[in-house]
Amino acid sequence: MKNNEARAALLFLAPAIIILSLFFFLPVIAGFALSVTDFDLYTLGDVHNLRFVALRNYRELFANPVFWTAFGNTMYFALAGGPLTVAVSLFAALLVNAKLTRWKALFRTIYFAPVVTTLVAVAVVFKYLYHPRFGIINIALGALHLPQPDWLGDPHFAMPAIILLAVWKGFGYTMIIFIAGLQNIPEELYEAARLDGAGAWGQFRHVTLPMLGPTFLFVGVVVAIGQLQIFAEPYVMTQGGPLNKTLTIVMMMYQQGFKFWRMGYAAAVAFILFLVIGAATLLQMRLGEKR
Amino acid sequence: MTRRGQSMVLHAVLIAGGLLTLFPLLWMLSASFMSNGESTTFPPHLVPHAATLAQYRALFLRLNIGRAFLSSTIVAATVTVCSVLFGSMAGYAFAKLRFRGREKSFGFLLTAIIVPPQVGMLPLFLLMKTLHLVNTYWGVIIPSMVTVFGIFLIRQFMLSVPQELLEAARIDGAGEFRIYWSVVMPLARPILATLATFMFMSTWNDFMWPLIILSNQSHHTLPVALANLLGEHVLDVELMMSGSVVTVLPVLIVFLILQRYYIAGLMVGSVKG
């Protein structure tokens, strides 16, 4: 009987094991191997041109100021975009979940809608909304007599513009998680706080925030991990410009690997992304334990 | 402030936030029905003064976007069916069949979740090239046919299926495949719907891997076709908006119909950490 079950299990697992090993685990391991070779256009033509170069790709990368620009931009995007997304989504969750709120399901669906939209398509839409002269955003700012920056063309505003798009696109996701967290807070805690004379702010400060606290950090790191992989927004909206101000790690990997075919060098970029995300994940797990 | 006043302020903020959230999507829809140049006039038109289907006509008749729509549909549908089938088979085995090293191998599988997909993309491309799968639908489909997330999702659900049910079927002489297909799968319908919704939407929206593996226009999926179109038609705002509508609308509709299942999957994903 047991033997029979084990044989069945192997058959049930076979498609998953074969596909994951061949098309996921093998490429990931090969990726590390690739990063210590000089795989380039010539190797693509004739594999005999492949040489082991040890850590040369990494040395070159660390000496390349463009890499540090991409690294810094990616960090900027994740460290500004992550917390901002969390803040907006917490605010939205509090409003949608408030006792007085009617049509809760409707508002939840509306705020969540951007999450399911196609990133490339909404990046195209925002590219036009950000147009310095014809874009609705600058027309609205002009009507209010506020400055009208050249959002995607100005080195100081390009990344903030992309961050705004990311917040718009992503806050619904974390909002849903926060709503679930809020619904898990026992009503008695609020009652006790009210008996102690706490107002709305006091209840938020002394009940909601401490009860949400761990979820709060956890969610922030989850968002940041997703944001470290940013690619489509700059690809569609800015091509990494102006002045490389929106060039990101993944975009650099794409350009080096699939535009210039410097695949060994690009693999080193990918490995660094892996390390950064691994570090963020460890942090997330630490926070998860506390939860 | 009175309760009534509070309620009014609250709903005013909620409605303002809702309009702000929907604005980009509504503007996209509105501009897609405008004639050339109307969306960039000053003062701006928020709704078309004479709605026209000219942009959609150009998109489908002249620019052949129907082809990309078909590609996206083929890829997303195949990935959905395969990932639900293979994911449910593996999830069932990990939850309900007893074999040696089950927990260890499942634990190993879960480590895959922390690896960003970009790490494998360069060798994956070389592998696909060796297999002559560059510029084919299979090149896009195969790497997504099984996801660790899907296996995890189904396993968590199947753990709650009572063991007695399976034992009873075994005593009745049902084979292992029959038990999976006619006893367990019907029970798992809600979670299968969740995974299917999830996979359809994420595959439809996927950009980077299709961009890499499909260099030939004839196989482009919608997001890749749209990014390509932007290169040649960046000044044709209204045309680009109709392309965006064609890309976004199918997933929005799927979401509105199946959002119950989608959000259930999201919650499982968020508590796994």
Side-chain angles (χ1 to χ4, degrees), chain A residues 14-112:
Chain A
I17 291 176
I18 292 169
I19 291 166
L20 284 176
S21 330
L22 259 179
F23 297 97
F24 182 77
F25 288 108
L26 178 73
V28 165
I29 295 163
F32 302 141
L34 194 61
S35 75
V36 290
T37 70
D38 67 347
F39 201 113
D40 59 10
L41 201 55
Y42 302 104
T43 325
L44 211 56
D46 180 1
V47 81
H48 291 105
N49 288 321
L50 190 68
R51 300 269 178 283
F52 172 75
V53 295
L55 297 178
R56 196 181 78 194
N57 289 324
Y58 293 93
R59 272 200 305 276
E60 259 182 58
L61 206 55
F62 292 146
N64 183 353
V66 176
F67 167 73
W68 291 111
T69 305
F71 188 87
N73 290 340
T74 308
M75 288 298 158
Y76 176 17
F77 179 74
L79 294 180
L84 201 58
T85 307
V86 170
V88 171
S89 62
L90 178 62
F91 185 62
L94 287 169
L95 291 181
V96 171
N97 197 52
K99 255 191 245 115
L100 288 173
T101 302
R102 275 188 280 174
W103 316 298
K104 285 193 164 101
L106 174 71
F107 284 118
R108 201 186 60 180
T109 303
I110 290 174
Y111 292 153
F112 192 77

Side-chain angles (χ1 to χ4, degrees), chain A residues 215-237:
Chain A
T215 319
F216 198 71
L217 287 168
F218 168 79
V219 159
V221 181
V222 171
V223 172
I225 289 174
Q227 296 197 329
L228 289 170
Q229 301 174 38
I230 173 182
F231 171 72
E233 296 95 325
Y235 182 91
V236 169
M237 298 169 88

Side-chain angles (χ1 to χ4, degrees), chain A residues 91-93 95-96 104-115 167-173 175-176 179, chain B residues 10-22:
Chain A
F91 185 62
L95 291 181
V96 171
K104 285 193 164 101
L106 174 71
F107 284 118
R108 201 186 60 180
T109 303
I110 290 174
Y111 292 153
F112 192 77
V115 175
V167 172
W168 174 82
K169 176 112 173 53
F171 83 94
Y173 171 77
M175 176 193 75
I176 296 281
I179 289 177
Chain B
L10 177 71
H11 285 91
V13 176
L14 274 165
I15 291 169
L19 288 176
L20 212 59
T21 306
L22 288 183

Side-chain angles (χ1 to χ4, degrees), chain B residues 26-99:
Chain B
L26 293 175
W27 182 77
M28 164 186 80
L29 191 65
S30 173
S32 76
F33 293 111
M34 292 179 183
S35 46
N36 289 341
E38 192 184 346
S39 71
T40 49
T41 47
F42 191 88
H45 293 179
L46 286 181
V47 286
H49 284 193
T52 167
L53 286 174
Q55 309 304 340
Y56 290 95
R57 225 173 285 134
L59 210 55
F60 280 94
L61 298 181
R62 196 158 53 78
L63 297 162
N64 210 3
I65 200 85
R67 175 90 214 184
F69 195 93
L70 185 70
S71 298
S72 275
T73 310
I74 292 172
V75 168
T78 315
V79 166
T80 304
V81 171
C82 291
S83 63
V84 168
L85 180 68
F86 298 151
S88 66
M89 283 164 63
Y92 170 64
F94 277 125
K96 284 288 159 215
L97 297 177
R98 284 155 295 188
F99 58 91

